[in-house]
Amino acid sequence: MSGKFHGRREDHRLVTGRGRYTSDWSFPDQVYAHFLRSDRGHAEIRGVDVSEALATPGVLAVLTGADTIAAGFGSSPSLIHYPGKGGMKFITVHREVLAETRVRFVGQEVALVVATSQIIAQDAAEKIVVDYHDLPVVVDAEEALKPGAPQLYDHVPNNLVFDFEYGSQEAADAAFASAAHVTKLVADAPRIVGNPMEPKAALVTYDAEKDVYDLYAPSQGMTMMRAGLSVGTGIPESQLRVHAHDVGGGFGIRGEAYSEYCSLLLAAKKVGRPVKWVSTRSETFVSDHHGRAAKLFGELALDKTGKFLGVRFQWIVNTGGYLSSPGPFTNTLPPSMHAVNVYTIPVVHGLHRVVLTNTTPTTPYRGAARPNVSYIVERLVDEAAREMGIDRVEMRRINAIPREAFPYKTPTGSVYDSGDPKGLIDDVVKHADWAGYEKRRQESLSRGKLRGISCCAFIEPAGGGGSPVEEVAIRFGDSGNPILYTVSGPSGQGHETTYPEIVGEVFGMDPEEITLRFSDPDGPAQRGDGTIGSRSLMSHGGALFQAAQEVVKKGRELAAQHLEAGVEDIEFTEGAYRVRGTDLAVSLTELSRIYSKDGESQLDTKFEGAQQRSFPTGAHVAELEIDPQTGELELLSYVGVDDCGNIINHTLAEGQVHGGIMQGLGQVFGEVCVYDQSGQMLSGSFMDYCMPRAGDLTKELKLFDRPIPAPGNPLGAKGVGEAGTTGSVPTLANAVIDALRPLGINHVDFPLTASRIWRAIKNSQAA
Ligand code: MCN
């Protein structure tokens, strides 16, 4: 991606230790919390004896499920308000904020100890005696659906909370019946842990006089957190103030009002002192909601020339022991919106089953379910090309939606706003020197190495959200320097840099003079959604752009008054209002100061932006080498051509794609949550859970942009925060399979570790 260098202005503050993450907050007189968590996958609770814990010197309170029930606490809200197959209604399940009657996954919160030190709280928690009666456990979603499987809830037959259907079964069956060729594939998208750098943490203060709670927690947006907390606790939103300053990574799993936060509100009220809690990495592994966790079945029907006729999917989604608010939603409706990926597939039929198991709940994790869509479709395309003996790039080209067909209505009714998939494919193969690949493969072979290459394309819905409006505001105060207010703040995306750049451009002002305040409970922006779905730049950035234009318009009237000229004679250039044909001028900041009183300027503007959606697309090529003796692989090159519409900050957009690719690389090559049959997580630490490391990417990523402005928002921008993940998951997977093909290996499930690859090679040699 080209463009002049703009670093993130917040980086200096963050890398010099001046960030303010949740654990950096402290209040006088604060006390500390520790959670006792279930060590069982599935058990009835027959009693909880807290007497010894409570008698421990320094312990101020021990809360159990009885306390949260007495406080009237309920469950978090669901986002599914549409019917499933045959009109099936989504079945909700209740989660006790602290478990009172039953636990359904290892790590579920059972009791909360509050003490004068963290160590005392932890020691006391170990003295709590829980009388568990173990119940049969099921951790695998396919097993959970089978007759006779352990049932997690009496009112959820076969553990199936939702059976979502989209497209037309009849039309798909007809397309498959007429097909010259059908390719079938089953692929696993294993469960992974989000693992932000900052573990879950909270600090709660309670003002008894006003009956108001202040929660400091890493969050992807105070509104989502506040709404969830309110539904979970029954406390009105007006009495909940959520603060998020620096957030050490969100990745989709920091949007929700976790049970811990609800219990901590109660604890702060009970002890009448600020309560602080910082979780450990071990708690992150078992209690942060997980990502992916779906088994994907796909079928692609083709005519004899390789044109796609129809596609059928079945997903079995492992949603865990309880339902996160967005998890079941993101695994059903949104994937149907881009199920045909970038191709002119006329018919589609899908069934996505959302299934409860004795595991940690799942939720959107960078890309949400989109990497599953791109993975299953792009694996099918590569397999179909191999089976039919058609060139895989050519197969993509002949099926790609042509640029002139946009806006493109897919068979499920969604409308792709703009794009040029074929152009992206053509560009990426050129940049990756696809034509010279065979020579490079021969050279690898001469060294005894297997070389693989792949080219994948993707499209994904970005944006959307629950709030009908995005509130933003620009205030000037007495100083005249603009302060921007938004709900959506950064958890690594760089909004502190980008939002001021957008407004600075309109104001003709150095962005360094503009400050961002996000998720400020005292600020004027209180409605809108947070940093989810790669939406912030379009939605909040777009609204700020419009707000800034509004300010300039307002200022024109005031400038005319101040400069004693007609409005029609006032022009606004380079940050100042000027009377045409004279040297009379007043800068925007000066004007705001002149018309400011008691900290309020007449230029202050609040603006309600609209929800925005766009469909970013991309085509990526990966090339890698495998040592057949060991299964070790080396990524030799990765080239991406992305269309994320108009780019506001090239460095940050490229950084987002880069980070997203690394996150996909983690999923493809190493990350996986392993449970044993009793529901214990076997990969619950960095000793056993393989995070991607810098050394996994020794070659420079080559990233290019090929923008087609999004027609639907004022900036012409599309989302970019998740594109790298949606693109890299299929691209890396297909490159590995391509390298292994000469050995007759056509599929290996994630994670594609050296040992799995080595085993696949050995098995193929034995066959
Ligand atoms: N941008 C741009 N031009 C565009 C689009 C975006 O310059 N056309 C730049 C902007 O600098 C913007 C950033 O890219 O600040 C991301 O913008 P956008 O695509 O609107 O995504 P969001 O800001 O809404 O971020 C959410 C997205 C999601 S959903 C996850 S998950 C994710 C991600 O961003 N989690 C992240 N990127 C992450 N990056 C970091 N470092 N940490 C996370 O937790």
Side-chain angles (χ1 to χ4, degrees):
M1 291 182 179
S2 57
K4 75 177 174 180
F5 177 79
H6 289 290
R8 285 195 309 198
R9 59 195 266 194
E10 55 266 50
D11 281 356
H12 190 253
R13 180 170 58 79
L14 297 176
V15 299
T16 52
R18 285 175 295 139
R20 201 143 196 224
Y21 297 94
T22 300
S23 68
D24 294 320
W25 289 87
S26 281
F27 288 111
D29 213 25
Q30 78 190 13
V31 290
Y32 300 84
H34 185 87
F35 284 93
L36 176 73
R37 296 181 181 278
S38 167
D39 55 3
R40 318 290 161 115
H42 197 188
E44 187 190 317
I45 297 178
R46 293 192 171 161
V48 183
D49 181 357
V50 301
S51 51
E52 209 187 324
L54 206 48
T56 306
V59 170
L60 303 173
V62 180
L63 269 61
T64 63
D67 298 291
T68 56
I69 289 169
F73 284 12
S75 302
S76 35
S78 152
L79 301 182
I80 294 191
H81 306 293
Y82 42 89
K85 185 174 162 54
M88 178 184 183
K89 268 198 172 157
F90 177 64
I91 307 176
T92 54
V93 303
H94 174 62
R95 174 171 178 169
E96 293 163 343
V97 170
L98 290 170
E100 169 71 0
T101 56
R102 194 147 149 182
V103 287
R104 292 182 175 84
F105 71 94
V106 169
Q108 187 178 347
E109 304 77 23
V110 176
L112 167 62
V113 180
V114 183
T116 49
S117 82
Q118 206 283 321
I119 289 294
I120 294 175
Q122 185 173 354
D123 279 350
E126 284 167 19
K127 295 177 188 163
I128 297 172
V129 181
V130 185
D131 182 8
Y132 288 115
H133 171 72
D134 284 320
L135 296 168
V137 169
V138 60
V139 295
D140 181 273
E142 277 179 283
E143 292 300 319
L145 280 173
K146 288 184 182 159
Q151 299 292 291
L152 270 74
Y153 299 83
D154 293 343
H155 70 293
V156 188
N158 305 317
N159 301 306
L160 180 70
V161 284
F162 200 45
D163 195 358
F164 178 66
E165 183 175 28
Y166 55 92
S168 162
Q169 182 169 7
E170 215 185 335
D173 288 351
F176 276 77
S178 72
H181 184 83
V182 172
T183 291
K184 296 183 185 197
L185 193 85
V186 183
D188 199 24
R191 169 182 287 266
I192 44 187
V193 181
N195 265 321
M197 276 194 289
E198 183 187 15
K200 235 180 324 177
L203 175 60
V204 182
T205 65
Y206 175 66
D207 182 333
E209 226 164 87
K210 294 187 188 139
D211 196 14
V212 164
Y213 301 79
D214 280 82
L215 167 71
Y216 300 77
S219 110
Q220 291 177 228
M222 66 175 174
T223 46
M224 303 180 309
M225 185 77 88
R226 202 168 52 197
L229 284 173
S230 179
V231 175
T233 61
I235 301 168
E237 283 196 42
S238 57
Q239 289 163 234
L240 293 165
R241 289 158 46 82
V242 178
H243 307 253
H245 281 248
D246 293 313
V247 178
F251 307 123
I253 64 165
R254 286 281 179 267
E256 283 176 78
Y258 279 97
S259 286
E260 290 100 335
Y261 301 151
C262 297
S263 321
L264 289 162
L265 295 179
L266 190 59
K269 182 174 186 177
K270 188 161 180 170
V271 300
R273 290 165 70 172
V275 178
K276 185 166 180 173
W277 169 68
V278 180
S279 73
T280 60
R281 183 57 57 181
S282 302
E283 287 178 287
T284 298
F285 270 98
V286 293
S287 78
D288 278 19
H289 291 166
H290 294 164
R292 311 283 188 263
K295 188 86 172 263
L296 315 167
F297 301 77
E299 292 176 276
L300 178 64
L302 305 96
D303 74 10
K304 62 177 189 313
T305 66
K307 277 290 276 176
F308 303 156
L309 302 175
V311 67
R312 284 198 286 231
F313 301 109
Q314 284 197 40
W315 289 24
I316 298 182
V317 179
N318 188 331
T319 199
Y322 298 93
L323 303 169
S324 76
S325 284
F329 167 75
T330 45
N331 273 300
T332 51
L333 189 64
S336 73
M337 294 168 66
H338 62 127
V340 295
N341 201 14
V342 296
Y343 305 114
T344 52
I345 309 178
V347 290
V348 58
H349 180 242
L351 280 177
H352 291 199
R353 270 173 243 163
V354 182
V355 185
L356 294 157
T357 65
N358 295 113
T359 57
T360 300
T362 55
T363 208
Y365 161 75
R366 202 166 189 172
R370 306 167 203 158
N372 291 354
V373 173
S374 59
Y375 177 45
I376 187 69
V377 175
E378 291 301 284
R379 285 289 297 115
L380 279 169
V381 174
D382 259 27
E383 286 314 294
R386 175 186 63 82
E387 289 165 3
M388 296 181 74
I390 297 176
D391 179 85
R392 51 203 154 132
V393 174
E394 196 45 33
M395 183 176 268
R396 286 180 168 86
R397 279 200 189 107
I398 61 171
N399 286 287
I401 302 165
R403 181 174 180 164
E404 57 282 6
F406 286 86
Y408 182 80
K409 191 167 180 193
T410 77
T412 57
S414 59
V415 179
Y416 295 164
D417 59 342
S418 63
D420 181 15
K422 188 171 163 295
L424 293 167
I425 294 168
D426 288 344
D427 267 16
V428 80
V429 294
K430 246 183 253 148
H431 288 303
D433 186 21
W434 187 274
Y437 170 70
E438 187 49 33
K439 203 167 150 209
R440 298 194 292 277
R441 193 176 77 86
Q442 291 303 334
E443 190 278 325
S444 294
L445 264 182
S446 72
R447 288 183 284 109
K449 299 282 173 71
L450 300 166
R451 197 171 184 120
I453 192 169
S454 80
C455 169
C456 292
F458 67 92
I459 189 161
E460 55 173 10
S467 171
V469 293
E470 304 289 359
E471 234 166 48
V472 299
I474 303 177
R475 279 188 177 172
F476 291 84
D478 290 327
S479 75
N481 280 351
I483 300 173
L484 316 180
Y485 292 86
T486 58
V487 170
S488 148
S491 41
Q493 295 84 355
H495 299 166
E496 271 178 78
T497 303
T498 321
Y499 291 168
E501 280 176 350
I502 292 169
V503 173
E505 184 88 19
V506 181
F507 287 172
M509 190 184 272
D510 181 354
E512 294 278 337
E513 288 169 26
I514 305 173
T515 312
L516 172 68
R517 286 207 193 135
F518 49 89
S519 268
D520 180 350
D522 297 314
Q526 291 295 322
R527 291 194 303 156
D529 288 302
T531 309
I532 51 165
S534 302
R535 61 194 295 284
S536 305
L537 205 270
M538 291 181 285
S539 290
H540 300 259
L544 281 171
F545 176 71
Q546 289 171 294
Q549 288 177 321
E550 193 77 23
V551 168
V552 171
K553 203 167 132 204
K554 257 193 218 175
R556 199 180 296 275
E557 309 262 337
L558 297 178
Q561 205 177 309
H562 177 70
L563 298 171
E564 296 179 352
V567 178
E568 63 288 353
D569 292 330
I570 301 286
E571 59 181 11
F572 183 73
T573 55
E574 291 166 30
Y577 294 95
R578 301 168 204 280
V579 182
R580 253 185 225 105
T582 74
D583 58 1
L584 285 173
V586 59
S587 74
L588 182 72
T589 42
E590 222 175 309
L591 192 71
S592 77
R593 274 197 296 267
I594 294 165
Y595 288 95
S596 160
K597 202 172 160 222
D598 300 331
E600 278 185 32
S601 164
Q602 287 188 39
L603 286 181
D604 289 352
T605 297
K606 192 167 154 181
F607 188 84
E608 283 187 0
Q611 276 286 358
Q612 304 292 349
R613 188 182 287 291
S614 69
F615 284 84
T617 51
H620 292 188
V621 168
E623 196 167 326
L624 46 78
E625 214 172 52
I626 293 175
D627 183 340
Q629 303 301 321
T630 61
E632 286 280 334
L633 68 76
E634 190 187 355
L635 186 56
L636 299 173
S637 98
Y638 195 101
V639 184
V641 181
D642 280 85
D643 169 10
C644 45
N646 290 336
I647 293 177
I648 302 303
N649 183 314
H650 281 82
T651 305
L652 297 196
E654 182 169 336
Q656 285 293 300
V657 177
H658 190 141
I661 289 170
M662 274 312 274
Q663 219 142 347
L665 185 148
Q667 174 182 346
V668 174
F669 294 148
E671 293 184 59
V672 65
C673 255
V674 181
Y675 280 93
D676 72 8
Q677 289 309 307
S678 72
Q680 295 292 337
M681 196 201 288
L682 302 180
S683 52
S685 83
F686 286 144
M687 295 293 286
D688 300 302
Y689 186 93
C690 177
M691 291 292 280
R693 296 178 172 85
D696 295 332
L697 190 70
T698 52
K699 303 287 186 302
E700 196 192 343
L701 296 171
K702 293 191 196 106
L703 304 176
F704 303 88
D705 61 297
R706 195 177 190 282
I708 297 184
N713 68 79
L715 296 173
K718 299 175 185 170
V720 74
E722 295 161 288
T725 312
T726 308
S728 64
V729 170
T731 308
L732 293 167
N734 273 346
V736 172
I737 301 305
D738 184 54
L740 298 175
R741 274 230 167 87
L743 306 178
I745 299 167
N746 296 320
H747 189 71
V748 183
D749 265 325
F750 294 155
L752 302 173
T753 57
S755 72
R756 277 202 188 193
I757 292 173
W758 180 83
R759 202 164 301 135
I761 293 172
K762 288 290 146 206
N763 289 343
S764 77
Q765 286 164 348

